[in-house]
Amino acid sequence: MASHRRPKQPSRARVTVLTATAAAAVALTSQAAHADPKPTKTEVKAKVDKLYEEAEQATEKFNGAKEKQEKLEREVDNLQDKVARGQDQLNEQRDALGAVAAAQYRSGGIDPSLQLFLSSDPDDFLQQAGALDQISGRQTDTLKKVQAKQRELAQQRKEAAGKLADLADTREQLGKKKSEVKAKLAEARKLLNSLTAAERAKMAEEQERANRASERAALKAAGGSTAGGSTAGGSTSTGSSANIGKGSGLAGAAFAAAQSKIGSPYVFGATGPSTYDCSGLTSWAYAQAGATIPRTSQAQANAGQRIYSQSQLQVGDLVIFYGDMHHVGLYAGNGQVLHAPRTGTVVRYEAIGNMPFQFGVRI
């Protein structure tokens, strides 16, 4: 007789495991189907270039915070020196009053007003202006000087405290900007490391070729027509008669100094003598020529006479790029600029049309 037993059903636990396994398999298949393809070398380069530009923007903010910190440190030091000198003067004035009190004591007693001054907080006593009438004219003059010195010291201490608070805030901002720059550069390095060794070598070769091409273009412009060199944007400059390296006066001396640093690596926050960022190069160059200009590109944009026409630029003029003015170089003549471009590059010539020109600045 045939058996009619029902087939054994899978346990609930087994069903759960099977279901989970199937779901995981579906998810993995879905992820594999929708996974982003590995970016190409060209895409990586574009992303890295963008990160380098953002890092340079953060670098100029870092430079500004650093400059403010250094200025505040000098101001705080000066104020603290003034307070120390003022305290010494106050002590001398109080010593003089003490001598008067000693003389009065030897002659039979101390003036009550003077005794009150010497035995309590001078501020409390000096608020009682009427008490000054009880003291001799000489003592009155001395007390008034003490009062003025105390007020001056109180103001200086208050100002120093405010500067110290600003300094603490600025140091905090400086740390944040430095971290921001480092984060951008780390992200760029991570992207570069995602490429194969061959791809990285190819990118480095292309960058070196770009450096050489820029230098050749500059040298060609220097020896070519002086009436109008072509720019990278395809337009022709129609007024510059300056050849590369032939500036004059202060600007020419600054340009000559910058020329001596061609090939020096870009390093954020650097002002020489072997590495530079963009505004570090320009401020260093003008310092070699005997002029002090601000540290950051944004501040340098307001350091002299603005020149809005490229045709009016002269060798050594500052050239400001980008809407937020985060990049600066030195005009080299014939549509070229000498600058420290960004991380991964060196001080070099480049066509002015390669970047969004804003205006020049004549120091």
Side-chain angles (χ1 to χ4, degrees):
M1 186 173 180
S3 172
H4 296 287
R5 286 180 300 173
R6 299 174 60 188
K8 186 176 179 180
Q9 297 294 320
S11 68
R12 177 175 298 177
R14 180 175 174 80
V15 170
T16 300
V17 170
L18 289 172
T19 302
T21 301
V26 171
L28 287 172
T29 302
S30 176
Q31 288 177 3
H34 293 89
D36 292 331
K38 180 182 176 180
T40 65
K41 180 173 68 68
T42 301
E43 291 170 337
V44 167
K45 184 180 184 306
K47 291 179 180 178
V48 167
D49 287 347
K50 179 64 175 174
L51 285 168
Y52 281 155
E53 183 181 338
E54 292 173 355
E56 189 183 31
Q57 290 174 307
T59 293
E60 287 305 288
K61 293 177 182 178
F62 166 86
N63 290 337
K66 186 176 180 181
E67 185 178 42
K68 182 179 179 182
Q69 172 185 290
E70 292 169 351
K71 180 181 178 182
L72 284 171
E73 286 174 343
R74 291 192 297 270
E75 291 176 349
V76 167
D77 286 344
N78 290 336
L79 282 169
Q80 290 176 335
D81 286 344
K82 285 182 180 179
V83 168
R85 289 195 300 270
Q87 188 63 55
D88 288 341
Q89 293 170 359
L90 179 60
N91 291 340
E92 290 176 2
Q93 292 170 351
R94 295 193 69 183
D95 288 345
L97 287 177
V100 172
Q104 289 183 355
Y105 178 78
R106 287 193 296 271
S107 63
I110 300 177
D111 187 294
S113 300
L114 189 56
Q115 186 177 34
L116 176 63
F117 172 79
L118 293 172
S119 63
S120 65
D121 184 342
D123 286 335
D124 293 339
F125 171 74
L126 291 170
Q127 288 175 0
Q128 305 175 39
L132 293 175
D133 295 336
Q134 303 174 32
I135 308 176
S136 68
R138 182 178 178 183
Q139 293 172 1
T140 299
D141 289 342
T142 304
L143 283 175
K144 284 181 177 179
K145 289 178 181 178
V146 170
Q147 183 183 38
K149 179 56 66 177
Q150 285 177 320
R151 287 174 177 169
E152 180 183 348
L153 282 174
Q155 179 60 36
Q156 288 174 345
R157 287 192 176 104
K158 181 179 180 181
E159 187 176 351
K163 295 289 185 184
L164 283 169
D166 287 344
L167 183 56
D169 290 342
T170 301
R171 282 175 174 160
E172 183 179 356
Q173 293 174 14
L174 188 64
K176 289 179 179 178
K177 294 304 175 187
K178 187 173 184 179
S179 296
E180 185 179 347
V181 173
K182 287 185 173 181
K184 297 289 185 185
L185 296 179
E187 189 176 351
R189 282 193 296 271
K190 183 178 178 181
L191 274 171
L192 288 172
N193 289 336
S194 70
L195 299 174
T196 65
E199 287 174 326
R200 289 197 297 272
K202 183 69 172 176
M203 281 185 65
E205 181 184 342
E206 290 171 353
Q207 182 61 63
E208 180 59 26
R209 192 158 55 244
N211 288 344
R212 291 195 300 267
S214 292
E215 188 168 355
R216 283 197 303 271
L219 292 173
K220 182 179 179 181
S225 171
T226 61
S230 62
T231 67
S235 60
T236 300
S237 175
T238 58
S240 176
S241 60
N243 278 329
I244 288 177
K246 294 186 178 180
S248 61
L250 176 64
F255 182 75
Q259 275 186 310
S260 71
K261 295 302 178 178
I262 290 174
S264 298
Y266 178 103
V267 173
F268 93 87
T271 57
S274 56
T275 59
Y276 301 86
D277 61 21
C278 69
S279 57
L281 175 66
T282 51
S283 58
W284 176 88
Y286 268 91
Q288 306 317 298
T292 299
I293 63 173
R295 171 64 178 88
T296 67
S297 58
Q298 290 90 347
Q300 289 177 15
N302 297 311
Q305 176 190 358
R306 290 190 176 186
I307 311 295
Y308 289 96
S309 171
Q310 291 186 33
S311 67
Q312 299 302 313
L313 292 174
Q314 297 176 5
V315 171
D317 284 343
L318 298 174
V319 186
I320 307 298
F321 297 99
Y322 298 96
D324 62 356
M325 301 181 290
H326 73 260
H327 189 70
V328 62
L330 294 168
Y331 188 61
N334 291 283
Q336 299 287 316
V337 63
L338 178 59
H339 67 149
R342 57 169 176 73
T343 299
T345 64
V346 297
V347 175
R348 70 187 190 191
Y349 295 112
E350 190 164 344
I352 197 171
N354 285 355
M355 297 165 286
F357 169 83
Q358 302 300 305
F359 50 82
V361 177
R362 186 157 301 151
I363 303 299

